[in-house]
Amino acid sequence: MDLSEAYPELLDIVAQKHFDYYEDYLNFSGVSKSWHSIAVQAVTKVKVSYTNGLLSRLPSLFLGEKKEDVEFRELFFLSNNTIRKIRLPEAYVKSCVSSSGWLLTVGDDYVTKLVNPLSRETFDLPDMFEHADYDDGIRKVLFSSQSQMVVVLWGCLKLTFCCIGDVNWTRIETCWHGAIHDITYYDGRVYFIDEKFRIKSCDAHGNDPVVVDVSQLPKCFRSGGLEIVYILGLDDERKKLLVVIKELLTILTEDGFMAELVTYKTKNFQVFEYDLVNGEWLKVNDLGKRTLFVGFSSSFCVEDTSGVIKANCIYYTHHSPLCIQMSATNRHDKLYRSQSNWRSYTGSEWDMGIYHMCDETIEPTHFIGDLSTQVSPPIWVQTM
């Protein structure tokens, strides 16, 4: 018997019991019109906690806010290149950063919350009043669901953390005065890399975290051009850190001052691996079956066995270089500066694409349509 003609009652039971992910729904509903109808009915019957739809096995792109849309935001799903509109008034007129499938939101009143964009589960966090006079906004958040710990990089210099239920943020003394490029939570520790490519770490689970030196990227690996730097952990046979450097192609005015930067676009990527066991650095030319996702506030590594995500590639989104982020002066940008519409500062179009490690080429992408109505850049949302 043709599966597409199977008993509707049987198919309905199968659908209700085995729709755990968005991709399951897509595969089931694509068999025939009758299966599609059953799939739609099954999703409405299943009592799941995710009011905005099923989870995805693959990363998605949380699209920028549209001024006229108070109730809803949009998620671009890589599974089938479609956009899902989700009800999320909790994120309206908020500064948003992402970690482990969650969003940290901060409003004009500095009220800070952790929100799951699909289930809409919310945790209240300590307010950001003490950082109200700080210039550079929230650049990144790390959330560990196992430990209920939240770490925030505020601007380029201030690193704070709290656990869900705390009434105050705890400052992590970074022991240097240079800007922090990026942070990551890996193997129970917080790692951060500064503008001199020094890596340090601390255990943020105590009341007084101690910062220790880890290593420094060798000078022979640095290009010296305009760069954006990411750091993330890599689980392998040995514990490793990846340092990902996005080199930018710039067009300057005739006098050549960086303050007169006109536009920039991604030129290429350099990836370096630091072995935490033997302390050795290695240049990475091949990611194997892995794929890196990098961008403003969210960077991570995945290995997709379905073949939808392109292996040995880097998916990147628009992200302003540090020197431009620090140049904004509008007072209203104190919360939103890190994810403002950077075309107003650089004159450039949104910089997004897929970088192929094998031949160092960039594939233009069309993750999203018209960006003219957006007031904040899209950010990657990791698989939840």
Side-chain angles (χ1 to χ4, degrees), residues 202-241:
C202 70
D203 181 354
H205 294 282
N207 294 325
D208 186 19
V210 177
V211 176
V212 298
D213 295 321
V214 177
S215 186
Q216 185 171 22
L217 183 70
K219 291 183 179 180
C220 61
F221 288 152
R222 306 178 212 168
S223 69
L226 184 58
E227 303 164 326
I228 299 175
V229 182
Y230 307 94
I231 185 171
L232 56 154
L234 182 65
D235 287 314
D236 213 329
E237 295 179 0
R238 305 168 74 94
K239 298 297 182 181
K240 300 174 181 177
L241 297 174

